[in-house]
Amino acid sequence: MSVVRKIIASEMLSVEGFMEEERGRLDWFAQDEELNDEAMNLLESVDAIIYGRVTYEMMAGFWPYAPGPFAARTNELQKYVVTGTLKETPWGTWNNARPLSGKLSEEIERLKNEPGKDMVIYGSGSVVRELTEHGLIDEYRLIVNPVVLGKGTPLFGALSGRLPLKLHEAKVFPSGAVALTYEKSR
């Protein structure tokens, strides 16, 4: 019996569930050493990152040049870029990236059934929403930041129905952020 890899959505959220401010700003994320350790532990537990094209382009402009162990781990991991327009990743500065340009649910099902560790999605709200609709996300790690933005982009937007979840873990960090880990209810 083969073990299916999990897809983990790891998202920074405001109190009202926004993943980015109205103008796309992300400067409101809480940070502290324990939260950074939590992020590193997640990154060490996976062997691939899934990004939407826009998030990938933003990350590819930062992580290849960033110092530290989180950057080093991010740079060495396989990166899958969900795109309907790119046939290959033209940036060249970020290794181990390849496009997923077929039907997303089929591509992710195929990846889940390949040998390896779990995979994580950072940001990429449209990817999270589509995979949620297809029941392909196994775990949601939501970091609720101590801020109300007023306006922004909701993580889940308009899903077609209810999404029952089971709380697996909750942690409070010194910054005031709260990490909520949910699994799909079976």
Side-chain angles (χ1 to χ4, degrees):
M1 181 173 114
S2 66
V3 175
V4 176
R5 300 161 78 184
K6 288 192 315 189
I7 302 290
I8 301 165
S10 179
E11 303 292 338
M12 297 291 266
L13 300 175
S14 67
V15 169
E16 69 263 60
F18 294 142
M19 59 185 301
E20 66 181 357
E21 212 168 8
E22 183 178 35
R23 294 188 184 113
R25 291 179 46 199
L26 302 172
D27 60 353
W28 49 271
F29 293 171
Q31 291 295 312
D32 63 55
E33 196 166 320
E34 288 180 34
L35 191 53
N36 292 341
D37 289 345
E38 183 86 4
M40 189 66 195
N41 289 339
L42 173 58
L43 206 55
E44 290 290 343
S45 74
V46 301
D47 66 4
I49 302 171
I50 300 168
Y51 290 117
R53 183 191 52 81
V54 173
T55 303
Y56 175 82
E57 288 175 336
M58 180 177 63
M59 299 298 187
F62 177 77
W63 287 115
Y65 315 103
F70 192 88
R73 179 69 178 152
T74 299
N75 291 331
E76 74 185 20
L77 287 173
Q78 176 70 56
K79 288 161 274 299
Y80 297 105
V81 184
V82 177
T83 176
T85 58
L86 298 174
K87 298 300 177 209
E88 55 186 72
T89 52
W91 302 281
T93 56
W94 210 13
N95 59 332
N96 301 325
R98 73 177 189 83
L100 294 176
S101 54
K103 185 175 179 186
L104 181 58
S105 59
E106 292 173 2
E107 292 272 0
I108 295 301
E109 279 285 355
R110 181 183 55 75
L111 289 173
K112 285 181 79 157
N113 287 296
E114 288 181 356
K117 292 181 172 182
D118 295 336
M119 297 171 278
V120 65
I121 304 169
Y122 290 121
S124 309
S126 62
V127 173
V128 171
R129 284 186 292 279
E130 185 172 344
L131 294 180
T132 296
E133 289 283 1
H134 288 281
L136 292 171
I137 296 182
D138 303 286
E139 184 174 294
Y140 297 87
R141 295 193 184 183
L142 309 176
I143 309 296
V144 179
N145 289 258
V147 63
V148 174
L149 298 176
K151 294 181 181 178
T153 305
L155 173 59
F156 293 107
L159 293 179
S160 64
R162 216 177 261 199
L163 176 63
L165 299 172
K166 178 183 176 192
L167 181 64
H168 176 71
E169 183 177 27
K171 286 185 182 178
V172 178
F173 294 93
S175 62
V178 178
L180 301 168
T181 302
Y182 290 99
E183 298 170 344
K184 289 189 307 188
S185 287
R186 307 262 179 228

